[in-house]
């Protein structure tokens, strides 16, 4: 499989792990978590379907919840513009970035921060919810979906704690398709600009490397891109995120 195709397949596999609805086929895979947060519900690709038909079917599957359309290299050419012509709004462009773990930059962990795997979802989920914009009334549902997460791979959750035990940073490492993809990498606003995000990312790469993984990937927000570039990540493609 082409390296980019592998990255895209791993990304689809992670988000499908949140799904409790109708997945559909490879031409129009969707995932529905019922968490009231658009990135946790949506359409993963459109391939071999007319945008109008895809929109009609996706609306039926995802009715009543906020959702997004991930339109990347695994969708048919012209899909994003066709959906925009049908009323979609582009909300973001997110680079798909990769790095060979053995070539990634080493970074120190800031003083007073301790990074380790965690199974304490009651502390972990509210921390990433605050950073990611998951509303307070969606946290309980997010915890339940994390507990029930199913996917073709392995989820590793890392928390950055202060000496007093507070979780100030998070990262999810998803090992699937022979690589690690990172999600929910974030630092609490009052602790930013200390290098914690870079340290969390590096810790996730190290954890994956211990399991024999050589390549890492992620989709970056505008805020995080400079951090990932400093670690050696480079863009290989792009997602356009759309909503109706």
């Amino acid at each position: 499989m082409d390296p980019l195709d592998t990255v895209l397949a791993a990304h689809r596999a992670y988000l499908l792990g949140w799904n409790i609805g109708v997945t559909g086929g490879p031409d129009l895979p969707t995932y529905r978590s019922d968490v009231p947060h658009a990135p946790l519900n949506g359409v993963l690709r459109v391939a071999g379907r007319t945008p109008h038909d895809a929109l009609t079917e996706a609306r039926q599957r995802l009715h009543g919840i906020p959702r997004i359309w991930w339109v990347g290299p695994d969708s048919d050419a012209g899909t994003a513009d066709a959906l925009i012509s049908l009323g979609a709004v582009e909300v973001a462009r997110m680079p798909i970035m990769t790095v060979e773990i053995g070539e990634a930059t080493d970074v120190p962990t800031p003083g007073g921060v301790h990074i380790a795997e965690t199974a304490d979802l009651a502390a972990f989920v509210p921390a990433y919810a605050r950073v990611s914009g998951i509303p307070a009334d969606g946290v309980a549902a997010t915890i339940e979906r994390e507990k029930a997460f199913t996917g073709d791979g392995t989820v590793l959750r890392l928390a950055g704690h202060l000496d007093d035990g507070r979780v100030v940073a998070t990262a999810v490492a998803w090992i699937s398709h022979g690589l690690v993809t990172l999600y929910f990498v974030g630092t609490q606003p009052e602790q930013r600009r200390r290098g914690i995000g870079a340290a969390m990312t590096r810790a996730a790469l190290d954890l994956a490397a211990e399991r024999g993984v050589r390549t890492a990937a992620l989709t970056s927000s505008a805020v995080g891109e400079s951090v990932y570039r400093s670690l050696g990540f480079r863009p290989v493609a792009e997602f356009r995120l759309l909503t109706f």
Side-chain angles (χ1 to χ4, degrees), residues 18 121 125 128 142-149 157 184:
W18 288 84
L121 294 176
V125 171
Y128 78 57
T142 308
I143 291 172
E144 291 307 307
R145 290 305 311 134
E146 284 275 16
K147 288 179 180 177
F149 187 90
R157 300 177 180 94
F184 292 118

Side-chain angles (χ1 to χ4, degrees), residues 6-217:
T6 301
V7 171
L8 294 167
H11 175 71
R12 292 193 301 269
Y14 175 74
L15 290 176
L16 286 171
W18 288 84
N19 183 54
I20 59 173
V22 177
T23 300
D27 57 341
L28 188 68
T30 58
Y31 62 106
R32 179 179 183 134
S33 69
D34 278 352
V35 174
H37 181 60
L40 293 180
N41 311 277
V43 181
L44 289 166
R45 69 185 299 201
V46 179
R49 299 286 297 272
T50 68
H52 182 272
D53 288 346
L55 176 57
T56 299
E57 185 169 340
R59 277 179 167 162
Q60 293 173 346
R61 296 189 208 166
L62 301 172
H63 176 71
I65 50 170
R67 66 267 193 185
I68 59 170
W69 294 63
W70 297 84
V71 183
D74 49 350
S75 286
D76 291 337
T79 293
D81 291 337
L83 291 171
I84 289 171
S85 74
L86 293 172
V89 175
E90 183 174 296
V91 293
R93 295 197 179 204
M94 298 182 71
I96 303 167
M97 308 179 77
T98 65
V99 69
E100 294 302 307
I101 294 175
E103 300 173 6
T105 305
D106 284 326
V107 295
T109 299
V113 178
H114 311 278
I115 301 172
E117 282 190 79
T118 183
D120 183 4
L121 294 176
F124 184 75
V125 171
Y128 78 57
R130 182 186 180 206
V131 173
S132 303
I134 297 173
D137 62 3
V139 169
T142 308
I143 291 172
E144 291 307 307
R145 290 305 311 134
E146 284 275 16
K147 288 179 180 177
F149 187 90
T150 58
D152 183 17
T154 300
V155 172
L156 306 174
R157 300 177 180 94
L158 289 86
H161 295 87
L162 297 184
D163 290 334
D164 61 10
R166 283 181 293 155
V167 177
V168 295
T170 60
V172 172
W174 167 243
I175 298 177
S176 176
H177 294 72
L179 54 85
V180 61
T181 313
L182 305 185
Y183 297 91
F184 292 118
V185 180
T187 305
Q188 299 300 307
E190 60 274 13
Q191 295 291 334
R192 289 176 184 165
R193 301 187 182 280
R194 296 182 55 200
I196 297 175
M200 294 295 299
T201 304
R202 180 70 235 197
L205 301 187
D206 291 342
L207 205 59
E210 291 173 4
R211 288 159 172 77
V213 177
R214 297 182 178 179
T215 304

